[in-house]
Structures are given as structure tokens and as C-alpha cells.
Amino acid sequence: MADIADIADITDITDEVPRLPVDPLLDDPGTRIVVCCGAGGVGKTTTAAALGLRAAERGRRVVVLTIDPARRLAQSMGLGELDNVPRPVPGTDPAAGGELFAMMLDMKRTFDEIVEAHADPARARAILDNPFYQSLSAGFAGTQEYMAMEKLGQLAARGEWDLIVVDTPPSRSALDFLDAPQRLGSFLDGRFIRVLTAPAKAGGRAGRKVMSLGMAGLQLFTGTLGKVLGTALLRDVQTFVAAMDTMFGGFRTRADATYRLLQAPGTAFLVVAAPERDALREAAYFVERLAADRMPLAGLVLNRVHASAAARLSAERALAAAEILDPAGPAAAGPAGDAGGAGGAPGAPGAKNLAPGGIVDHSRGQDRLRSARPSPEPHPPADAPPTPRTPQTAETTEDPRRPAQPEEAADRQDTDGLAAGLLRVHAERMRQVARESRMRARFTAVHPRVPMVEVAALPGDVHDLAGLRAIGERLASGAD
């Protein structure tokens, strides 16, 4: 458990980390692509949308491309749905002359567009109707990441946008997006594809002679595959590969071009994380991978950071004060069945006596009520003269030394319990602040030169443009 002095030391370490200047990054005309990446569930989609909205309201023409199939982006931007076509976002402030568009990757539709754009109509129809292609385009491993690269390349080639903000796929590994071009090249250069395309590539007398020599082996190979995959599936694969043969080179060329685009100075990668162990561990791995691939890293966005306006009150002091106000509270009570808990023996500290009516009477409350009852006065002698009574008036003041009445004692007990509860909540918040500070310090100790911006946690979810603006303002102010 860290005290405030420990938190201050960690904060001093964090203060030495360079700040990520968000607004200058978005305002720079040379920044053409911003890629938000990181582990799942850290707020990548919200961060990408907030950056896009802020850039648009500062005068740039922006499109936000999300690969996340969830509908959060559409809902937060006030759109009924998003598809493979950029849609204008209503409600964006046009005072600075900017515009905001949003779209969500449709993996199959993007694949169809590639086929239609790079094949003649007859060949395109043969490919689109092929059962193997329909399965491949709908969910083949790695297709989503590669289609994201294709769509990014299309948007960049059109030249209609000042800034493209990309929300990377919600994959288990944050590196899948960068690995897509290499995996595609390995697939196209693989032995399986070469064998299936061999009959189509062999032509003329020489080709027929080579094919006649190798036909026995090829038939044996395809016969084995037919037994494993099924004859119908193998035939569909062969037909698909033969139809796609002329397009394979285009796939590889475009993938390589998009990869180089991501390495260009106009691209900025933002690693998004939360102040949690797993998220920051993956963020550190991604930072190292970007450096190894010579990708331009702009910095780290640390979302959902907690703080306290009463940071000078440590968790230990808050718990000590809560113990004084409410000794029988959660911090002092043992587990059920232990002495001092709900099942403790009668008469033990913190024991409860159940009255017939079912009301729980705490021993501490009984003691206070006993002390609050006035002691009975002795009866005067029978021959003593009567004591004159002072008339009571509305202006008569009460004796401050008068013992508290039961109602007042109960009110004071309720107030003490409420104050103790608030102190315990504050102690838990300070523990959370300390944990987050330690996680942040561990990351910055390993990567001290990575610029960082912290985004304070919001009390609720972001579900409209106002929430996105609030996130954008915190992104900008966190860099000051």
C-alpha cells in the first residue's frame, strides 16, 4: 500500500516523460493518416472518433475508418448505421470549415470491389460466384486485416481527405494489422497455391510436355487433397485460383504500397492503452514492434486515468479516520461467523442482538443510548417545601451540558457512518491512483522517450458528439 509520498515520487518520474501534443499533430497539414492501435477494450474506437471530430472542428476534412464491427462509433456520432461508404456526420461544428465522415469496414464488400475493379466482367462474375471465394471473403483468417489495409490504400489514393483516422481491428493480437501484407504474400507464394496454379500457367508445347511429365504426381497430390478436403471443395479452390491468378500480383503490389504508406512521415501511430498491467504490457510490445518496423510512433494515449481532488489525504489516514468514526464498519468487521462479525458470540465486540421485531441493535449504539439516558433524581423529603418552577418560554435556551437524547444520538451515529463510508471510498480511490501510477511508471521506465497524454476517466460511457468533444478536450488538455 503506497502512501502519498510514494505516489508523489512516481508522479515525479511520470512528469519527466515528454507530453504528446495532440492539437499540433492534428493541425499539421503533413499529418495525413493517424492509426489508433492497442489491446482490445482500451478505448481505441472512442479515441479515434474523438480525434476525428476534433480535427474536423479545427478545419480539416476527416474520415474515420473503423474496423470494429460493434456499433459504438455509429451511435456516438448520431448515425443509424455505418457501412463501406463514408457518411457525413451531422452535428459537426462547421465554423472552422472542416467536415467529418465516418465509415465501417465491410470486409466482403471491400473484397468484391477489388475483384470488380481488377478483373474483366466475365472473370469477376466467375470469381464472385465461386463458393470458395464466398467463404474466403466472408471470414478467412487474416482477411479482415488485409481488407483494412486495402481500404486504407483506397482512401489515401482518392485524395479526398485531409486526414484519415484508422481504428485498427479488434483482434487478439494488436500486430495482426501490420502483419497482414506479409501473411498475404506468404499465402500467395505458398506451395499450395503454386501447385493449383501450375496447370493455368503452363502453356504451349513446352508447357504441355512439362505438364505431361508431372501429371501423375499432380494427380496423386490433388487426389489426396480431394480425400481430405472433398472433391467439390478442391474443384472450387482450383477454379478460384485459376480465375484469381492474374490478380495475385496486384494484391501483393497494393499491400506493399500500403505498408510503405504506413512507414511514410505523413503517418502517425498512436498506441492506446489503459493504466492496467495487461494493456500496458501489450502497449510496450507494440511500441517495440513499431520501432523494429520503422513505423512513425507519435506517442501513447493513456485512457481512463483516475485522480482525486483530495490527494493529500492518504489511504491510511482516511481509513484511520473511518475507524474512529465507525469502528464496527467494513474495515473492522471480520468475516461472517468470526468473533466480532455478524455471527459472533453475544457480548463480543461488534456482536449484534436481534430484538423480537428483527431490528439489529449494535452494542456501540446500546452504549451510547445508555450514556444518553439521564440518571434518576432522588425524591425530596415529604416535609420539604415545594421547589418553585421557572416558567418555560419560547426564548428559554437549552442547557448545552444536557445529555443527548436518543434521537440525537441516532442522528449522530448515522452522520458518523456516512462520513466513515465516504472516507473508505476515498481510501479505495487513492489505492487505485497508486496502482495506476505504478503501472504507468513501469512503462515509462522502459520507454522514457515515448510521448504520452493522459485522459481522465469520465463518469459514464460516451454515446454522443458531446461526449466525443469532452474526450477530445481531455486529449488536448492532457498534453499541456
Side-chain angles (χ1 to χ4, degrees):
M1 188 181 301
D3 201 349
I4 189 65
D6 299 326
I7 298 173
D9 293 341
I10 295 174
T11 304
D12 291 341
I13 296 174
T14 306
D15 288 341
E16 298 175 0
V17 177
R19 299 298 175 180
L20 173 62
V22 174
D23 281 345
L25 176 69
L26 298 178
D27 295 341
D28 185 1
T31 304
R32 305 303 302 273
I33 299 174
V34 172
V35 182
C36 297
C37 50
V42 296
K44 291 194 305 292
T45 300
T46 301
T47 299
L51 290 171
L53 177 61
R54 188 165 184 86
E57 294 187 337
R58 295 175 69 86
R60 305 197 73 182
R61 196 168 193 265
V62 185
V63 60
V64 178
L65 168 63
T66 181
I67 293 91
D68 191 342
R71 304 293 178 183
R72 292 190 300 272
L73 180 64
Q75 294 170 354
S76 64
M77 291 187 166
L79 300 173
E81 61 178 356
L82 291 175
D83 53 20
N84 216 41
V85 178
R87 305 291 182 185
V89 178
T92 305
D93 187 357
E99 296 178 275
L100 178 61
F101 293 77
M103 62 184 298
M104 183 173 68
L105 177 71
D106 184 330
M107 182 173 60
K108 187 179 187 312
R109 184 57 200 154
T110 301
F111 214 148
D112 292 348
E113 291 173 354
I114 296 171
V115 172
E116 293 167 351
H118 298 89
D120 59 80
R123 187 181 293 267
R125 179 48 49 195
I127 295 172
L128 296 177
D129 293 340
N130 184 275
F132 179 73
Y133 167 80
Q134 293 173 359
S135 176
L136 173 71
S137 60
F140 195 74
T143 305
Q144 183 185 41
E145 288 77 15
Y146 177 74
M147 288 302 111
M149 297 283 281
E150 278 279 353
K151 180 56 68 176
L152 174 58
Q154 291 176 9
L155 294 173
R158 288 164 61 177
E160 298 181 14
W161 319 101
D162 299 332
L163 179 64
I164 303 170
V165 181
V166 183
D167 168 35
T168 54
S171 55
R172 291 185 63 184
S173 172
L175 304 178
D176 288 348
F177 183 71
L178 296 179
D179 289 335
Q182 181 180 0
R183 286 205 309 271
L184 177 70
S186 299
F187 172 73
L188 297 180
D189 293 333
R191 180 178 302 176
F192 178 68
I193 295 296
R194 292 202 305 270
V195 169
L196 293 178
T197 57
K201 292 182 178 180
R205 182 177 302 175
R208 288 193 296 270
K209 185 177 295 185
V210 171
M211 286 303 299
S212 65
L213 293 175
M215 187 57 67
L218 180 62
Q219 288 177 346
L220 178 61
F221 176 75
T222 56
T224 303
L225 283 179
K227 293 179 181 179
V228 175
L229 303 177
T231 304
L233 176 58
L234 180 60
R235 185 170 54 250
D236 292 337
V237 173
Q238 287 177 313
T239 304
F240 164 75
V241 171
M244 290 284 290
D245 181 45
T246 58
M247 296 180 57
F248 285 160
F251 274 108
R252 187 182 294 104
T253 300
R254 289 191 303 276
D256 293 340
T258 305
Y259 195 80
R260 289 193 299 270
L261 180 65
L262 292 176
Q263 292 178 318
T267 300
F269 278 84
L270 290 176
V271 178
V272 184
E276 301 166 1
R277 185 189 306 273
D278 292 341
L280 282 174
R281 182 185 293 116
E282 191 156 354
Y285 186 39
F286 208 106
V287 166
E288 294 164 4
R289 171 63 188 274
L290 289 173
D293 287 1
R294 301 190 304 276
M295 297 289 180
L297 173 64
L300 174 75
V301 175
L302 196 61
N303 279 333
R304 303 168 188 165
V305 177
H306 294 85
S308 174
R312 297 184 62 182
L313 178 60
S314 68
E316 289 77 7
R317 291 171 58 194
L319 288 176
E323 174 68 15
I324 293 173
L325 291 173
D326 187 16
D338 294 342
K352 300 177 182 178
N353 299 321
L354 291 178
I359 300 176
V360 177
D361 189 10
H362 293 271
S363 59
R364 183 172 59 88
Q366 294 174 344
D367 294 340
R368 288 189 176 184
L369 290 178
R370 292 190 191 100
S371 63
R373 296 192 185 105
S375 302
E377 297 180 2
H379 293 285
D383 56 350
T387 303
R389 288 183 172 273
T390 304
Q392 298 293 326
T393 64
E395 298 180 357
T396 302
T397 58
E398 297 182 358
D399 185 358
R401 295 170 296 178
R402 179 180 60 84
Q405 298 302 312
E407 295 81 2
E408 295 175 357
D411 291 343
R412 186 184 304 114
Q413 183 177 357
D414 292 342
T415 302
D416 291 349
L418 178 60
L422 292 175
L423 286 168
R424 292 187 177 103
V425 170
H426 173 76
E428 181 56 36
R429 169 58 62 88
M430 292 305 298
R431 288 170 173 167
Q432 184 177 19
V433 170
R435 286 194 301 269
E436 294 179 358
S437 297
R438 288 194 297 271
M439 293 298 103
R440 183 170 55 243
R442 291 175 184 174
F443 176 87
T444 56
V446 179
H447 303 283
R449 298 183 180 179
V450 176
M452 180 187 300
V453 60
E454 298 179 9
V455 181
L458 290 176
D461 293 334
V462 176
H463 53 78
D464 53 17
L465 290 183
L468 292 179
R469 287 192 185 95
I471 293 292
E473 291 172 358
R474 295 182 181 216
L475 281 165
S477 62
D480 295 339

